[in-house]
Amino acid sequence: LEHEVAVVEAERNRIARELHDTVLQSFVSVVPTLSMLAAAVTERGDQERARDSIRQLESSLAEARKTIRGLRSPVFRNRSLVA
C-alpha cells in the first residue's frame, strides 16, 4: 500500500510540475501582450473587452494555481515545483 501511495503522489507531483511548466507559463506570457493590446485600442468598448479578457485570464490562472497546489503532495507544498 505504501508503494502505491508513493506512486500516486509521484504522478500527482509530475502532473503539477508539467502543468506549471507548460500550460500556466504559456498563459502567463499572454497577459502582457493583452495588456499592450488593450492600451493600444482606441475604441472604449474594445478596451473594456480586452481588460475583461485579462481579468478572466488572471482569474483562471489563480484557479489553475490553486488546483496545482491541491495536486502536490503535502511534503512539497511549501517548496518549489522543481523535483
Side-chain angles (χ1 to χ4, degrees), residues 31-66:
V31 173
T33 302
L34 284 176
S35 296
M36 288 188 305
L37 286 171
V41 171
T42 57
E43 292 290 325
R44 181 172 295 284
D46 291 338
Q47 284 177 340
E48 280 305 308
R49 281 190 288 283
R51 288 187 184 116
D52 287 345
S53 294
I54 293 167
R55 283 189 289 273
Q56 183 178 8
L57 179 57
E58 288 171 338
S59 176
S60 295
L61 283 167
E63 188 63 32
R65 287 183 182 112
K66 181 180 172 184

Side-chain angles (χ1 to χ4, degrees), residues 16-30:
R17 271 193 315 277
E18 189 171 319
L19 286 171
H20 176 270
D21 294 345
T22 58
V23 177
L24 244 55
Q25 293 306 319
S26 294
F27 287 154
V28 166
S29 71
V30 172

Side-chain angles (χ1 to χ4, degrees), residues 3-20:
H3 174 70
E4 290 173 1
V5 170
V7 168
V8 169
E9 284 186 6
E11 181 64 6
R12 288 170 63 124
N13 287 323
R14 184 196 66 76
I15 292 168
R17 271 193 315 277
E18 189 171 319
L19 286 171
H20 176 270

